[in-house]
């Protein structure tokens, strides 16, 4: 319950607690001051006794503290109050001010709709009698006026109670809607929490899968490059040890030296590729900017980098995946596209983040991609596999002679 509802509830408590006293006081004052016009207030002792009884009944009923629950005790209170009000109104019609209290709390003290309607009708009898000139009713004209006023009062009561019932029904529906919304919000929050937990689990699985992939890649590269280089070095040294010709020895030593340098370079490259060193000291935007600039200088190609949206710190696995995909896309462009211009865009899009690599090179037919060779990177399939491990995707648009565009989109998971 908000502050406004609590204030309304306090006002209702005050009205139901002090209203009967106030209306009884108004009726008494009017009855006394107009006793000459209404035929007197006799006998005084009866009126005084009834007033004391009315006050005592209100004290017995007690103050209202929140909406009352209809009960047998409430029915007894209503019946006694009606009897006292009827007797007072019989003595003087201005006591109908006290009688109208029966209109205000019928639904709070009398259980059952039929009994409540009977209580309202009984109260309307006193009000109509007062309005028609007071009781007892005498003469045909006064009876006709009384009957008409009784019908009018009950018609107004019917309309008022009908509107009140509709408003109460709407209030119940609003309350039910609020409860349902709270339940829906709780379920939505639970779903969001579960989704966050699933994202975290997915990232852990992606990290584990990435470690396994890197191990397989490193093993393949060692087998394809370093191991072959060492085999070649051994073969060259075997020739040196079995030859006495200085020229042949120098030639094979030079070859062994060259193979050793190449194998060392391959070893360094393989070790560096185990993890994105560019992210050790920089966030993803800075790391990508440096990567693009270095790639452009190395290949002599105009390379541009752009960031759209509001940059946010991302989960380590998200940044590493996007950087690896961008590096592979640039590597492919350097080896195959013959492009004169390359653009890389990092986009933050609310719940997603994407990296787009576009070039104006020779392009290719995506439906006719050559099988992966042992000397290349992990290719388009590898990029897709990286993205899919963190619930992302990689799309490629290419056409022979019209360049290539690689777009990687992954969920935006903030740094935990």
């Amino acid at each position: 319950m908000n502050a406004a509802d609590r204030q309304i509830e306090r006002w209702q408590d005050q009205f139901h607690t002090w209203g009967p006293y106030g209306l009884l006081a108004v009726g008494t004052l009017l009855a006394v001051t107009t006793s000459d016009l209404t035929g007197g207030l006799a006998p005084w002792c009866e009126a005084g006794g009834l007033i004391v009884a009315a006050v005592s009944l209100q004290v017995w009923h007690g103050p209202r503290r929140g909406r009352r629950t209809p009960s047998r005790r409430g029915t007894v209170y209503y019946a006694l109050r009606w009897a006292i009000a009827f007797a007072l109104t019989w003595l003087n019609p201005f006591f109908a001010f006290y009688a109208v209290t029966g209109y205000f709390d019928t639904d709070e003290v009398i259980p059952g709709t039929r009994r409540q309607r009977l209580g309202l009708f009984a109260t309307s009898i006193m009000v109509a009698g007062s309005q028609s000139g007071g009781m007892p009713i005498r003469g045909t004209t006064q009876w006709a006026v009384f009957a008409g006023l009784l019908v009018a009062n009950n018609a107004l009561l019917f309309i008022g109670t009908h509107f009140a019932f509709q408003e109460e029904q709407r209030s119940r529906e609003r309350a039910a809607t609020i409860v349902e919304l709270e339940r829906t919000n709780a379920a939505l929050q639970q779903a969001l929490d579960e989704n966050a937990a699933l994202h975290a689990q997915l990232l852990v699985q992606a990290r584990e899968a990435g470690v396994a992939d890197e191990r397989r890649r490193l093993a393949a590269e060692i087998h394809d490059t370093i191991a072959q280089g060492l085999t070649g070095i051994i073969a060259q040294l075997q020739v040196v040890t079995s030859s006495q010709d200085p020229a042949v020895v120098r030639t094979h030593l030079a070859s062994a030296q060259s193979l050793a340098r190449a194998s060392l370079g391959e070893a360094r490259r393989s070790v560096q590729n185990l993890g994105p060193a560019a992210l050790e000291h920089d966030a993803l935007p800075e790391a990508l900017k440096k990567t693009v600039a270095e790639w452009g200088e190395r290949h002599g190609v105009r390379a541009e980098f752009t960031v759209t949206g509001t940059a946010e710190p991302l989960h380590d696995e998200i940044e590493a995946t996007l950087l690896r995909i961008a590096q592979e896309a640039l590597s492919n462009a350097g080896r195959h596209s013959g492009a004169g211009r390359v653009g890389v865009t990092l986009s933050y899009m609310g719940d997603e983040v994407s990296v787009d690599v576009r070039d104006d090179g020779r392009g290719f037919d995506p439906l006719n991609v050559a099988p992966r060779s042992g000397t290349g990177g992990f290719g388009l399939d590898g990029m897709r596999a990286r993205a899919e491990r963190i619930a992302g995707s990689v799309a490629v648009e290419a056409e022979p002679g019209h360049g290539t565009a690689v777009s990687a989109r992954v969920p935006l998971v903030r740094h935990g």
Side-chain angles (χ1 to χ4, degrees):
M1 183 182 296
N2 57 35
D5 291 337
R6 287 194 294 269
Q7 182 63 37
I8 292 174
E9 189 69 26
R10 285 194 293 268
W11 289 342
Q12 290 178 341
D13 288 343
Q14 293 175 2
F15 175 78
H16 283 280
T17 299
W18 303 107
Y21 294 107
L23 292 172
L24 179 62
V26 171
T28 301
L29 179 63
L30 291 174
V32 171
T33 57
T34 61
S35 58
D36 294 338
L37 298 177
T38 58
L41 186 62
W44 282 93
C45 59
E46 293 181 5
L50 290 171
I51 292 171
V52 171
V55 172
S56 301
L57 180 64
Q58 290 303 135
V59 173
W60 173 77
H61 187 54
R64 182 183 189 265
R65 295 184 178 89
R67 184 175 179 83
R68 301 179 189 270
T69 301
S71 63
R72 181 176 297 179
R73 182 179 185 278
T75 304
V76 171
Y77 160 74
Y78 191 91
L80 291 174
R81 187 181 64 187
W82 181 89
I84 295 172
F86 184 84
L88 286 170
T89 306
W90 187 279
L91 294 175
N92 190 292
F94 281 110
F95 279 111
F97 277 97
Y98 176 62
V100 297
T101 55
Y103 286 152
F104 302 140
D105 58 359
T106 310
D107 59 334
E108 291 194 13
V109 296
I110 301 179
T113 304
R114 290 184 178 180
R115 293 179 181 178
Q116 292 173 4
R117 290 176 179 173
L118 180 60
L120 291 172
F121 178 74
T123 298
S124 70
I125 291 175
M126 293 185 289
V127 174
S130 173
Q131 292 170 339
S132 62
M135 295 183 288
I137 298 172
R138 301 179 180 87
T140 305
T141 302
Q142 189 178 3
W143 272 108
V145 172
F146 169 77
L149 290 172
L150 185 64
V151 171
N153 277 286
N154 280 276
L156 292 174
L157 280 174
F158 175 78
I159 295 173
T161 53
H162 177 69
F163 287 147
F165 174 79
Q166 286 186 329
E167 182 60 30
E168 185 177 356
Q169 182 68 21
R170 283 195 293 269
S171 298
R172 285 196 295 266
E173 291 174 355
R174 285 194 294 269
T177 301
I178 292 172
V179 171
E180 184 63 26
L181 285 174
E182 291 176 348
R183 187 182 299 112
T184 302
N185 287 336
L188 178 60
Q189 185 61 47
Q190 181 180 0
L192 290 174
D193 294 340
E194 292 176 354
N195 187 47
L198 288 174
H199 264 301
Q201 183 180 359
L202 181 63
L203 290 172
V204 172
Q205 294 175 349
R207 185 184 297 277
E208 294 174 351
V211 170
D213 285 348
E214 292 296 340
R215 288 174 177 172
R216 287 192 294 269
R217 181 192 61 78
L218 184 57
E221 290 191 2
I222 290 174
H223 177 271
D224 294 341
T225 58
I226 301 174
Q228 292 181 8
L230 292 174
T231 301
I233 292 172
I234 292 172
Q236 298 298 323
L237 292 177
Q238 286 175 343
V239 173
V240 169
T241 58
S242 62
S243 175
Q244 300 296 325
D245 186 347
V248 173
V249 170
R250 284 194 298 272
T251 300
H252 287 282
L253 283 176
S255 297
Q257 227 174 16
S258 177
L259 285 171
R261 290 194 185 95
S263 297
L264 179 60
E266 291 292 344
R268 287 174 175 169
R269 185 183 64 81
S270 298
V271 171
Q272 290 172 353
N273 285 340
L274 283 174
L279 292 174
E280 289 183 3
H281 306 291
D282 294 318
L284 181 60
E286 291 77 13
L288 272 175
K289 182 177 180 180
K290 292 179 181 179
T291 299
V292 172
E294 292 172 358
W295 182 91
E297 292 177 2
R298 187 166 60 251
H299 291 82
V301 175
R302 180 182 175 185
E304 299 175 346
F305 174 69
T306 306
V307 178
T308 64
T310 303
E312 300 186 50
L314 303 176
H315 192 282
D316 294 344
E317 195 66 27
I318 298 294
E319 291 194 341
T321 298
L322 291 175
L323 181 61
R324 287 297 194 205
I325 291 174
Q327 288 173 335
E328 182 62 21
L330 288 171
S331 178
N332 290 342
R335 289 198 304 269
H336 307 300
S337 71
R341 182 177 179 181
V342 172
V344 178
T345 302
L346 174 63
S347 303
Y348 294 85
M349 302 175 293
D351 58 351
E352 283 188 330
V353 59
S354 69
V355 168
D356 299 286
V357 181
R358 304 169 307 281
D359 66 65
D360 61 355
R362 61 177 63 93
F364 66 96
D365 184 358
L367 301 178
N368 188 24
V369 179
R372 179 189 170 193
S373 65
T375 60
F378 57 83
L380 294 176
D381 291 339
M383 286 190 279
R384 290 192 177 98
R386 280 189 183 275
E388 289 170 359
R389 280 198 296 269
I390 56 173
S393 63
V394 172
V396 179
E397 295 181 4
E399 185 178 349
H402 292 85
T404 303
V406 177
S407 177
R409 300 168 69 95
V410 299
L412 193 154
V413 180
R414 294 170 178 82
H415 182 71

